[in-house]
Amino acid sequence: MANPLYDTLFGRHAGQSTPFLQLLDGTCLTHDSFLAMASQIAHVFADNGLSPGDRVAVQVDKSPECLAIYAACAQAGLVFLPLNTAYTASEVQYFFADSGAALIICASRSQPLIQAMADELDAAVLTLDADGSGSLMDHARRRPTTLAPVKRSPSDLAALLYTSGTTGRSKGAMLSQENLLSNAQVLAAEWQFTNQDILLHALPIFHTHGLFVAANVTLIAGGSMVFMPKFDLDTMISWMPRATCLMGVPTFYTRLLQDARFNRDLTAHMRLFISGSAPLLAETHIQFEERTGHRILERYGMTETNMNTSNPYSGERRAGTVGFPLPGVELKITNPDTGAALPQGEIGQIEVRGTNVFQGYWQMPDKTAAELRADGFFITGDLGQIDSDGYLHIVGRNKDLIISGGYNIYPKEIELLLDDQPDVLESAVIGVPHADFGESVIGILVPKPGKTPDISAIKLSVSAALAGFKQPRKLIIVDELPRNAMGKVQKNILRDRFS
Ligand code: MLC
Ligand code: AMP
């Protein structure tokens, strides 16, 4: 195949006027019109002097055009770098600089700020708004609707997805064509996706879940998606009768369960509900089955690895577990100190190996070596246990991470910012249980001797620097942080105290 990712996900639909994206205004974008749009965008990339391997950073609202940028990148051999729309200017500046992006596509509202950053980095800027307007599509609409895909090999990079780290500095996970493709093929087969499927797509498309799991699986199967700008309960409920499947983070499911309209009748025709990105409480799983008669299928993945495990489509979907390793994925539980494999039933760190596992962190050989072993096993940082039937239970994390509504938040990044605030000596950031988001963020501050930090001023400063979902919902002042004999802050004690 000349370009495995493009040919398998997109090229196969050439000339097919089958439905692909059903939009909320009642219109539908067919596969061939989507491909035409992607080709036009790929022409714009060439017009801007981009060549294979260049990075295209994209921070725009969800739209069909945004998804077509991903297709165009695959077609032109470029590396797609999607960014959360909640990131602030200072957050995205790091990603642009670190990746050496050749082109930045942003919303027109952020262009003035981003243009200045791009000028310093010698990157081009194009704009795209949620309604498809902006300079990208102005150019694209004047370009041809076909383009031969650039030749690529399975090991060529397809995407760079930034994931924060425990040291506070984000790392770009390099995903090859084969990483994405092999996982999409396995998932489509495991979950029995076909061209009859209509997926309710309410996830953002700047993360693995909404982009590679939801969109790639639908594309491989030739199905269609109800493409919603974001999760909205009423919209979800009103479109459900026309769909067959839903993929969501646990917050989607807890919100649906809070609505009496979400019942057995509404869901009787549905084929599949899939959950991932954060732990689904066994309680939610059980409540869901009681209400609808469906068992949610929970799976487990990461930015660096795509999907690793899944509950079975046909067998028992066991609450509180993430199922079995997917075909082609090797998984072991190891001793976090020695890396030695542990016997079945013991708790240890989860390590995975397979064609799904990424190529390393962009220009960070040391960080890559610390997490990706020479034998190909990736140390996930999650703690797990395999039960006697082979189901994987995620029992905790060996990394300091908060997951709120499916978004990962690394406390270190927030602590570094809080530590720098006037009159703050030190800080600790923890996650506490939250009914809607699973976990929410709390910041604990120790003042400098004799000082009282100004909480309102700190909140203001934090809000200018950090995306909304990362901002502590509460800032609490304490005299000192609990520490163990090694001087390490005991976050478990803080969590017990402030939960
Ligand atoms: C929004 N807000 C959040 C938040 N989402 N706060 C904490 N955690 C979140 N997840 C805040 C906003 O900053 C804002 O704050 C307020 O909530 C309203 O914003 P909103 O956009 O209207 O929120 P809402 O629509 O309710 O969004 C919640 C959500 C959304 C759960 C629908 O966060 C979401 O779609 N999450 C999915 C994330 C995801 O795709 N994860 C996959 C990662 S891939 P204020 O203060 O301004 O009012 C991965 C691998 C794998 O993990 O295995 O899949
Ligand atoms: P991310 O880095 O955003 O890709 O998030 C990956 C992390 O999400 C994993 O390391 C897990 O900690 C968590 N995660 C993903 N799926 C699940 C799941 N089904 N249950 C529990 N945690 C999950």
Side-chain angles (χ1 to χ4, degrees):
M1 244 181 239
N3 181 327
L5 187 69
Y6 181 81
D7 296 346
T8 314
L9 293 185
F10 305 104
R12 71 194 299 157
H13 303 297
Q16 291 178 3
S17 53
T18 38
F20 176 44
L21 298 180
Q22 305 193 36
L23 307 177
L24 299 188
D25 64 4
T27 58
C28 179
L29 199 65
T30 57
H31 282 103
D32 54 0
S33 45
F34 178 79
L35 292 192
M37 189 197 282
S39 293
Q40 291 182 312
I41 295 174
H43 276 289
V44 176
F45 292 161
D47 297 345
N48 276 269
L50 270 65
S51 45
D54 282 348
R55 276 77 58 211
V56 178
V58 181
Q59 191 193 32
V60 300
D61 293 322
K62 185 174 170 182
S63 66
E65 289 78 6
C66 175
L67 194 63
I69 295 175
Y70 164 52
C73 284
Q75 191 169 10
L78 301 166
V79 180
F80 184 57
L81 194 177
L83 292 166
N84 193 326
T85 44
Y87 290 151
T88 61
S90 62
E91 288 172 304
V92 292
Q93 185 164 30
Y94 168 80
F95 303 124
F96 300 153
D98 188 69
S99 66
L103 171 66
I104 299 166
I105 305 175
C106 65
S108 49
R109 63 176 180 276
S110 12
Q111 191 192 6
L113 266 179
I114 285 183
Q115 186 71 56
M117 297 176 196
D119 289 346
E120 268 185 34
L121 299 166
D122 210 16
V125 178
L126 292 169
T127 58
L128 173 65
D129 291 321
D131 60 0
S133 60
S135 57
L136 174 72
M137 296 314 293
D138 286 349
H139 289 193
R141 285 189 195 101
R142 296 196 294 267
R143 306 298 286 134
T145 53
T146 55
L147 177 77
V150 165
K151 198 170 171 342
R152 294 270 89 185
S153 77
S155 60
D156 282 322
L157 280 198
L160 191 59
L161 260 60
Y162 277 84
T163 153
S164 297
T166 40
T167 53
R169 217 179 137 218
S170 285
K171 304 166 288 185
M174 298 189 287
L175 293 151
S176 69
Q177 287 218 342
E178 187 183 26
N179 293 149
L180 304 182
L181 202 49
S182 62
N183 209 238
Q185 280 162 332
V186 163
L187 295 176
E190 286 292 297
W191 298 339
Q192 300 190 14
F193 268 75
T194 71
N195 60 5
Q196 297 305 300
D197 273 310
I198 303 171
L199 177 78
L200 289 167
H201 193 300
L203 289 160
I205 52 172
F206 42 71
H207 281 314
T208 296
H209 196 164
L211 185 63
F212 302 139
V213 187
N216 285 0
V217 165
T218 308
L219 278 159
I220 285 228
S224 66
M225 303 190 266
V226 178
F227 210 57
M228 307 177 183
K230 60 185 291 226
F231 179 87
D232 174 78
L233 193 57
D234 290 335
T235 314
M236 182 68 80
I237 286 176
S238 70
W239 278 84
M240 196 154 293
R242 282 172 269 187
T244 65
C245 314
L246 170 64
M247 289 187 196
V249 294
T251 303
F252 283 20
Y253 294 109
T254 50
R255 287 188 184 179
L256 282 167
L257 283 170
Q258 276 162 20
D259 195 303
R261 292 172 295 172
F262 186 70
N263 58 23
R264 216 168 260 264
D265 286 346
L266 186 78
T267 57
H269 68 289
M270 288 288 279
R271 183 176 74 79
L272 187 58
F273 292 92
I274 300 177
S275 176
S277 308
L280 181 78
L281 294 178
E283 187 189 307
T284 310
H285 193 282
I286 292 160
Q287 208 189 338
F288 196 91
E289 186 177 12
E290 282 168 4
R291 178 85 70 86
T292 65
H294 290 278
R295 275 180 165 249
I296 297 176
L297 184 155
E298 188 174 5
R299 81 339 173 250
Y300 157 61
M302 288 185 78
T303 301
E304 288 92 334
T305 64
N306 297 289
M307 299 305 102
N308 295 309
T309 72
S310 172
N311 268 281
Y313 184 79
S314 300
E316 185 201 349
R317 298 177 196 164
R318 195 169 282 186
T321 83
V322 291
F324 310 111
L326 287 162
V329 178
E330 290 174 79
L331 185 148
K332 61 183 181 180
I333 305 291
T334 63
N335 178 321
D337 299 323
T338 64
L342 293 171
Q344 182 271 317
E346 288 197 21
I347 293 176
Q349 66 186 359
I350 303 170
E351 298 193 26
V352 291
R353 178 164 74 178
T355 48
N356 56 314
V357 174
F358 75 140
Q359 308 300 300
Y361 295 115
W362 176 257
Q363 293 179 343
M364 289 187 175
D366 293 348
K367 290 213 181 331
T368 302
E371 294 179 41
L372 191 55
R373 296 188 192 279
D375 65 4
F377 271 98
F378 176 66
I379 306 166
T380 61
D382 292 310
L383 296 174
Q385 179 182 35
I386 295 178
D387 69 22
S388 53
D389 295 323
Y391 287 82
L392 176 66
H393 299 238
I394 297 180
V395 298
R397 296 175 200 138
N398 205 20
K399 53 191 171 190
D400 194 10
L401 164 70
I402 299 166
I403 304 185
S404 170
Y407 286 140
N408 282 11
I409 299 162
Y410 281 86
K412 191 74 196 170
E413 183 185 1
I414 307 167
E415 287 162 2
L416 290 172
L417 198 70
L418 293 176
D419 291 348
D420 270 354
Q421 300 300 313
D423 301 333
V424 172
L425 180 67
E426 60 174 353
S427 66
V429 167
I430 55 167
V432 294
H434 188 276
D436 187 30
F437 290 136
E439 284 184 283
S440 79
V441 182
I442 286 192
I444 294 153
L445 307 174
V446 178
K448 285 184 179 154
K451 303 283 186 184
T452 307
D454 178 344
I455 297 287
S456 316
I458 294 178
K459 281 192 172 160
L460 211 62
S461 157
V462 167
S463 69
L466 287 180
F469 68 90
K470 297 182 195 169
Q471 293 168 24
R473 292 287 167 241
K474 239 184 215 162
L475 288 173
I476 299 167
I477 295 184
V478 298
D479 292 338
E480 59 178 2
L481 298 175
R483 290 183 187 277
N484 67 14
M486 312 288 287
K488 195 167 180 272
V489 175
Q490 293 170 298
K491 291 200 169 176
N492 53 333
I493 295 183
L494 291 173
R495 276 191 289 268
D496 288 347
R497 185 166 157 206
F498 294 107
S499 282

